[in-house]
Amino acid sequence: MSTTDHQRKVPIRAIIMILVALAIAFAGLGWHAVATRDSDPDSALHAQAAKLSATAPAAPSGASESAAPSSAPAAAPAACVYSEEGASAAARAAVAEIKKAGVTVRGEVATWKGKAPRATVVYYGAGQENAAGRVAAAIDHGSSAAPRPAGAEQCAEGLVVVVVK
């Protein structure tokens, strides 16, 4: 066997190993695509919204559907205030500002479990968008209002205020 035969076998083996590794990687990606093809990232959010709307109080049986809507603003839902770790002073200040805005605050400030948002945010459920906007404006620390994320069951019928530094 000459040295040229030996030199040719090493690169061919390396190329074969690379091709086998690529085949395994692409097979894994294909399996993942097939396994997750029917999953919808928004399905959990829609399920939570349906759950909230299903638990909304029903209209009294004597109410007529043809009644004119009242011009009085709807009562603001209560708010639960959470703080990321290390932002308890800012959360206490936010509680005072929320109360000044006329919104009831439930309980004490608690620590937010899970990934904290980048800025202070007021999470709202179905039909609470306007109230959440008012609370976010009252806090005014670069805060914003956003739909309640899937998996956030805290304060199920109220606004969830997460205060960050």
Side-chain angles (χ1 to χ4, degrees), residues 31 50 67 96 102 104-105 117 128-129:
W31 176 83
T104 304
V105 176
Q128 299 174 335
E129 186 172 356

Side-chain angles (χ1 to χ4, degrees), residues 67-89:
S70 77
S71 60
C80 299
V81 180
Y82 296 87
S83 69
E84 77 169 333
E85 197 166 322
S88 58

